[in-house]
Amino acid sequence: MAPLDTLLAGLARERSTGALLVGRAGTVFLDEGRVTYMECVQTPGVERLLTARGRSTEATLRGMQADGGCERLLAEGVLTLGELQYCVLGAVLDAAFFLLPVGGTRPKFRPGERHWLGGRWYFEVSGLLRECARRRAQLARIWPSAEVDTAPVRPAPWLTGQGVTLGRVEWEVVARADHKATPLDLARQLGRSGYSILLAVRRLAAAGLLVPREEPAPAEDPRLPKRSRQAVKAPSTGGSTGPPLGPAVTADPTDLALLLRLKKALEELA
Amino acid sequence: MLGLDDCLIEVMAIPGALDAMLLDQTSGMAVAVSGSPQGVDTEGSAAALTETLRATVDGLARSCPGDTVRIDDMLVTTDQGHHLLRLMETAFEGPLVIYVRLDLERSNLALARHRLRAISSSLLT
């Protein structure tokens, strides 16, 4: 089965108009081969962003969708054309970032279907793919481990240094984090794009402001060598009660996190 | 009512404007570009400019204790020209940033700032 991006590239070449349903994960709307709108169940759409920011209510938006559509939304001054374009731009790129890697479902194409908020800003399929790749690279540059993207966000109870500067989204993440919500949960709650929350979480992780994940039993992780467990235990079975002199040679996830942080620190020095 | 593309046309009408760009501060992405000079990698320069802004906010947060930093605009003058960044708060993500490079001799900074303020208010209200 062809991955989603090749499928989209094909639809772009044929200058198709319609909706590509990607199972229950989301939908891509195209107009003459250009993307006009994209939805992903994991990320907040334009309607959610509008209601979360108090610009409108769900009922009003539903009413407008049924009668008058996008024209009425602009005419009644809920938001300006520039704002709508910017909002659609953000929502579509965010959906693309999470939807395009999805596999395993057979997408269905429904010709002719349009989204009521589409058609105000057009995306070339190639441009979308390039931007998604750039965003992935940017995340990796900030903090190389993707583990924090899906784990519950758990801010550290204390600072390792004397002070820290937080950006706006980072502040919102720290203020809202309840040690259970994952970054995408927080995005929905805060009405922010999933990607902006991922950026914030990776920045927090890079600054050492997140509690490292609880150590999972290494034996359960097939990627790690089996003997690592014994290596951890070795110092304590040696009879000494104090901490071992020098670190034990292990391949534990906590050590990996430390190594990644070290690597980043060294890269910054270079 | 201005759309994002028209907004760039207006920016380029500012006397002395050489090239302009709309940036999304959160993601570091170039939203729209007008007449970028030869040999300039748009994506790279958008990412670099938003990083510059981030660093500036961080720096100012350190130097103005008791304040939450909110930059309206930022001006950098080099030996070649002026670089003006105007930040616009939107209801959503952002800020959305207008970047314009101005000719050192032919531009008037006060006028350029005034025009940017007018453009950003007609874009968002």
Side-chain angles (χ1 to χ4, degrees), chain B residues 72-93:
Chain B
D72 283 336
D73 54 23
M74 183 168 136
L75 164 70
V76 179
T77 303
T78 66
D79 53 350
Q80 305 287 320
H82 301 297
H83 303 256
L84 201 48
L85 293 136
R86 167 94 201 162
L87 280 72
M88 295 178 281
E89 290 297 339
T90 69
F92 317 104
E93 217 80 82

Side-chain angles (χ1 to χ4, degrees), chain B residues 5 7 24 27 39 47 50 63 69 78 82-83 87-88 92-94 99 102 112 117 120 125:
Chain B
D5 280 333
C7 148
D24 175 36
S27 65
T50 50
S63 62
V69 181
T78 66
H82 301 297
H83 303 256
L87 280 72
M88 295 178 281
F92 317 104
E93 217 80 82
Y99 164 75
L102 298 162
R117 206 163 32 236
S120 58
T125 48

